[in-house]
Amino acid sequence: QVQLVESGGGLVQPGGSLSLSCAVSGSFYKNHVMGWYRQAPGNPRESVALVGASGGTDYADSVKGRFTISRDNAKTTLYLQMNSLKPEDTAVYYCNLREFRLQGVREFWGQGTQVTVSS
């Protein structure tokens, strides 16, 4: 069973930086996508940044040029470096892993970590 545990959230001033980490344990299929999602109060959960099994990345337009997703070679830790933070980045950030198997898709979520951007 895959487990995801986020860390690194907190309070930061506008224009500041914050780094999130997601510890990934358990085995998962080679065809997968890892990513970061966020959910602000009253809003649906949205994709922030994704990284595929081969290393390709994709970002939401709202964070392009400010956020960077990465992971270690062993694929046991996923990172999100957030720079030039804005108040609208305030949300609970979730780590996600999605497996694509012949039998179907399996999805795993972390418990979330709060990021608050405020002066």
Side-chain angles (χ1 to χ4, degrees), residues 4 11 26 43 67 69 71 113:
L4 309 173
L11 173 65
N43 289 350
F67 290 12
I69 188 171
R71 62 184 176 185
T113 185

Side-chain angles (χ1 to χ4, degrees), residues 61-80:
D61 288 342
S62 59
V63 306
K64 280 181 181 176
R66 300 189 298 122
F67 290 12
T68 302
I69 188 171
S70 63
R71 62 184 176 185
D72 64 345
N73 289 336
K75 301 177 183 176
T76 58
T77 308
L78 184 69
Y79 304 97
L80 185 67

Side-chain angles (χ1 to χ4, degrees), residues 37-41 46 87-94 113-117:
Y37 290 72
R38 67 186 180 187
Q39 187 168 21
E46 62 176 0
E88 51 264 43
D89 294 318
T90 295
V92 177
Y93 283 70
Y94 297 91
T113 185
Q114 177 70 46
V115 172
T116 303
V117 185

Side-chain angles (χ1 to χ4, degrees), residues 30 32 51-56 71 75:
K30 59 181 180 179
H32 64 273
V51 57
S54 59
R71 62 184 176 185
K75 301 177 183 176

Side-chain angles (χ1 to χ4, degrees), residues 4-119:
L4 309 173
V5 179
E6 303 98 335
S7 61
L11 173 65
V12 62
Q13 292 187 342
S17 297
L18 208 57
S19 181
L20 304 182
S21 298
C22 173
V24 183
S25 60
S27 60
F28 49 90
Y29 196 56
K30 59 181 180 179
N31 290 338
H32 64 273
V33 173
M34 292 184 179
W36 290 95
Y37 290 72
R38 67 186 180 187
Q39 187 168 21
N43 289 350
R45 192 171 296 188
E46 62 176 0
S47 174
V48 175
L50 303 173
V51 57
S54 59
T57 58
D58 186 61
Y59 295 91
D61 288 342
S62 59
V63 306
K64 280 181 181 176
R66 300 189 298 122
F67 290 12
T68 302
I69 188 171
S70 63
R71 62 184 176 185
D72 64 345
N73 289 336
K75 301 177 183 176
T76 58
T77 308
L78 184 69
Y79 304 97
L80 185 67
Q81 178 64 40
M82 304 184 292
N83 299 327
S84 303
L85 282 160
K86 305 175 181 179
E88 51 264 43
D89 294 318
T90 295
V92 177
Y93 283 70
Y94 297 91
C95 181
N96 172 271
L97 187 148
R98 190 172 299 150
E99 287 183 318
F100 301 93
R101 296 174 178 259
L102 289 177
Q103 304 91 327
V105 178
R106 288 204 307 174
E107 192 166 42
F108 304 92
W109 292 95
Q111 82 287 353
T113 185
Q114 177 70 46
V115 172
T116 303
V117 185
S118 175
S119 54

